[in-house]
Structures are given as C-alpha cells and as structure tokens.
Amino acid sequence: MVTAFSVRNLYFRYPSSAEDTIKGITFDVYGGEIFGLLGPSGAGKSTTQKILVKLLEDYKGSIEYFGRDLRGMDHSFYEEVGVGFEMPVHFTKLTALENMQFFSGFYKSTTDIRKLMERVGLWEYRDMKVGEYSKGMKVRLNFVRAMLNDPKVLFLDEVTNGLDPANARIIKDMIAEFRNQGGTVFLTTHLMNDVEDLCDRVAFCVDGKLVEISTPRDLKLKYGKREVRVEYRDNKAVKTAVFPLDGIGFNKEFHNLLQTAGIETIHSGETTMEDIFITVTGVKLNEHADQTD
Amino acid sequence: MNTLIRLIKGELTRLLKYKILPVSLATSVLWIGLFLSVSAREAWDLASLVIFVDVAAMSVLLLGASHHLEKQDGTIRTMMVMPVSLVQIITAKTVASMVLAIESAAITSLALYIIHKITLNYAMLLLFVVISCAAHAAIGFVLSLNSRDFNSMLGLLMAYMFIFMIPSLLFAFKVFDAKYEWLIMISPSHAANHLITSAVTGEYKPGMIIVGCLYLLILAGILFRFVVCPKFKDNAVRG
C-alpha cells in the first residue's frame, strides 16, 4: 500500500503560544483511503491539516508526501492537492463561474468545471454572484473549487456542514467515487454521519495528541458492548432482556424468549461513532459543534 | 510569467468589480473639476500635490480596502493553497496598486493638457510614480497586515499621515525653510512628493532625485522582504 503522508513525531507551536499545539503525533495516511481526523475544538485538527497543506511550516518532526520531504516541496505541490476550507473562500462580487474560471487558470491540469457544477446542482446558478449564494451553495462551490485541478489528494474540512441531506449525499457520493478512483482524502469533521459513511480509518486528536487510530468498524467493536438487547411484550408491559453476544446461538434462555414472547425489537450492543467520540475525547458533540460553528 | 499576468488580470478585474477602480476614477474627476476652476499657474502648482496625494494616500487606502475585502471573503487563504508563489501574489497586488496611481496621474496630466495646455515630462513622471508607488504599496501592506479590519487600517493610515505626510505638506506650503528638506526626506511621503514635484515642475536637483529614488526603492525592498512577505502568509493562515 502506498503511503500518501507519513507523519513522524510532529510537534508544532504557534509563535504566540507558550506550549505546543501538536505534541508529537505519528500517523500515516495511505493512498486511496479516506482518513478522518476527529476531535474537539482546539484539539489540533486544523493545525495538523494546515501543516499538511503547507500553510504552517515551522514544525518539528518529519512529514513525507509520497516519499518526498514535504519541507522541500515548492508551490507546485498544490498542482496535486485540493483543499476545501470550511470558511467561505470565494470572491463574493464575482459570479460562481468567474470564480471557478479564475482559480482553474492557475493549474496545469484541470477538470471540467461544467460537469462538476452540474453534479452539485450549481450550474444553473453559475452567473449568480457568490455573495448572493446561500450557505449550502457556498459549501458546494467550495467542494467544486477543491476538485478543480483533479487532485491526487483532497483535504476537506467540515465538507457537508450546512448542507441538506440530499446535497450532503451528492457530495459524499462524489468523495467516495474520488476514493474509488485512487484518490486520497484527508477529512476533518465533527459530523459523525460523514465519518460513518465515508472514512476508511479515523484518528482521534485530543489536546494535540492522537489517542486512537483505527477503522470505524474496529472502533465500534472495541467500544461496543458484546450483548444483545431484546425488547418484548409481556402482557401489556414492554420489558427488556440483555444477553451476552458470545455463545448467543447456544443460549437457551434467549431462544426460549424468541419462541414464546412477542418480540418488539432486537439490538446488538454495537456503539455509534458519536458515542465513541464522546468516550475517547470526553466532549459531547453538541458542545463541540457549538464551539466550532 | 503567465501566472503573474493572470494574477494581475484578476486583481484588475476585482478592482473593477469591487468598485475600487471606479472610486479612484471618481476622485480623479474631482481633481479635473478643481483644475477647471483655477488658473493655469495654480493648476500647475496643484498638479504635483494631486498626484502625490493619489500615490501616497489614495493608493494605500485602496490597497487596504482591497486587502480587507479579500480577507473578509477568505480568498487570500485560498490563494495560499494554489500553485502560485507568495512573491507572485504580492507582486500582482503591488502592480494593481501602481495601475491605480498611474491611472490617476494619467487623468491629471490629461486634464492639465486639455484644460490648460500644460505638458509635463511624462516619462519621468511615470518613473517617479512607479518608484513612489512601490514604497507606498509596501507601506499599505504593512498597515493592512497590522490591522484587524478596514476601519482599524484607516486609523493606522491617519497616524501614518500625521507622522509622515503632514511635514511634507507643511514643506510644500513653505512652512519649513528649503534648507531643511534633506531632513524631511526621511519621510517616504516627502521623498515621493519631491520626485513627483520635480517631474511636474521640471526642476530637478540631481542629488535629491538620486537619494529619493534609492531611499524609496531600498525601503520598498526591506519592507517587502522582511515585513510584508512573512506577515502576509501568517495573516492568511489566521484568516
């Protein structure tokens, strides 16, 4: 497997800060995967992303981009990289198409602007000034801009934040297609739906350190309860019974309940990414969203 | 080179779309109105002051407006993750600022000729406007990069003008004796004023011209190299 980014013992301190924001993190992002970096506000996610896209350079440790030292790369690095910021990043007095044409003009290789804008439902609004766009339209245009140069690696920050479910689905489908065609995605988000739908691996960043790196499936197994919860009706009352998942096929009590009671629901003890986020980071998601929004 | 040309074209398009160029043109029209109401001699005397104010104050003001509008739009950060260098971005913005100053000088010169049949040494004027503008663009960047928004940038500009432009204006109105001009040349505004006035009046003091040009070019170089470039990226990252 090709390693897109190899980060070793990374430290970073802002000039105005008394302590390191990034405290010795080590991880790899593999080519052709969607890697999610999660964590509460101020944990160091954005700083890590800014370092990887060369916006911040005075770091300690080493970062290799497809085997080359990131420090040694000049601005031609951006020919291969697409960056989608969460904040608005377009000239508001220019139309959406004027913006896209302006930005695409700087790349040696570009993709079809019309196809991209059609796909996200913005082509018919191409002549509207970006300042008149809704938040959701701006978010979709951000994504189009990040994809303009047909990048090899895509950095996305809160890519579906502010989108309705239908448009969020379109963007997520496009990201998955990008990955399926060999592209690498580095995603930072607090939307756990995006993580569950998209990420091949996730890392949790807390206070400048990575506390977990794994696949969503393995995390769910690790943090979930190995149990089966059955809700059934007994006379007119709804009752709950919990059975260990291990050996469930031989559990007579469980089988007896299935055969004799009116079963209403059966759930495994698999946990959600939201619960894992709370357990690992110690921060509730709504608090986190309030801080980041 | 193509990238730089594309960046400059983009800057000029935005000067138009963000109504910065029209505002600059409207200011020039005000000067034309002024020339219509005064004699040829008075117009000639006023011309250097008008061009100087456009180069030293208006171009700084418009550069600041443009910078803060782009900062608000978040596009400076976008440009930092494009295959363009920081030097190219800053050069394009400086050239756009020069275009504003040259446009103003051109309109003023044209108005002088049409209204009062006064001709100037246009090549020399162009050269001095470009040199003065390079230094003042650097100053404009320093003020913009050290201000939170356009209003605070205006405050810094006022402070700058009070410190550096008022002595120059007082000298122009002969409040200071001519023998103190060497001292006032330490003000970039006065150095620019001296060069522009020389080109408009046709009276050149070679020593002062050389010192003025070198001072402004070296100042621009130092500010761009050691203040603007490092601060620009930092400013873009912080948003």
Side-chain angles (χ1 to χ4, degrees), chain A residues 50 54-57 75 78-79 85 88-94 98 102-103 105-107 145, chain B residues 3 6-7 10 14 17-18 70 73-75 77-85 88 233 237:
Chain A
K50 282 175 186 168
K54 288 178 72 67
L55 279 174
L56 295 173
E57 291 180 308
H75 58 267
Y78 299 112
E79 291 284 358
F85 295 110
V89 287
H90 298 107
F91 298 106
T92 49
K93 305 276 185 198
L94 268 60
E98 285 170 339
F102 173 72
F103 290 126
F106 295 103
Y107 295 109
R145 197 201 51 73
Chain B
T3 301
R6 190 173 287 276
L7 280 168
R14 291 195 296 280
K17 298 258 181 181
Y18 282 72
E70 281 196 37
D73 283 352
T75 47
R77 188 187 288 193
T78 310
M79 293 308 297
M80 302 305 294
V81 293
M82 306 276 297
V84 294
S85 70
Q88 286 172 323
K233 188 164 185 181
V237 173

Side-chain angles (χ1 to χ4, degrees), chain B residues 215-235:
Chain B
Y215 175 56
L216 291 177
L217 287 173
I218 291 169
L219 179 71
I222 290 172
L223 288 180
F224 276 121
R225 172 70 184 83
F226 296 105
V227 184
V228 179
C229 282
K231 190 107 185 166
F232 194 89
K233 188 164 185 181
D234 179 57
N235 205 267

Side-chain angles (χ1 to χ4, degrees), chain A residues 47-66:
Chain A
T47 302
T48 305
Q49 180 164 330
K50 282 175 186 168
I51 292 169
L52 293 184
V53 298
K54 288 178 72 67
L55 279 174
L56 295 173
E57 291 180 308
D58 294 329
Y59 57 84
K60 288 180 195 162
S62 77
I63 302 174
E64 286 188 357
Y65 169 71
F66 288 102

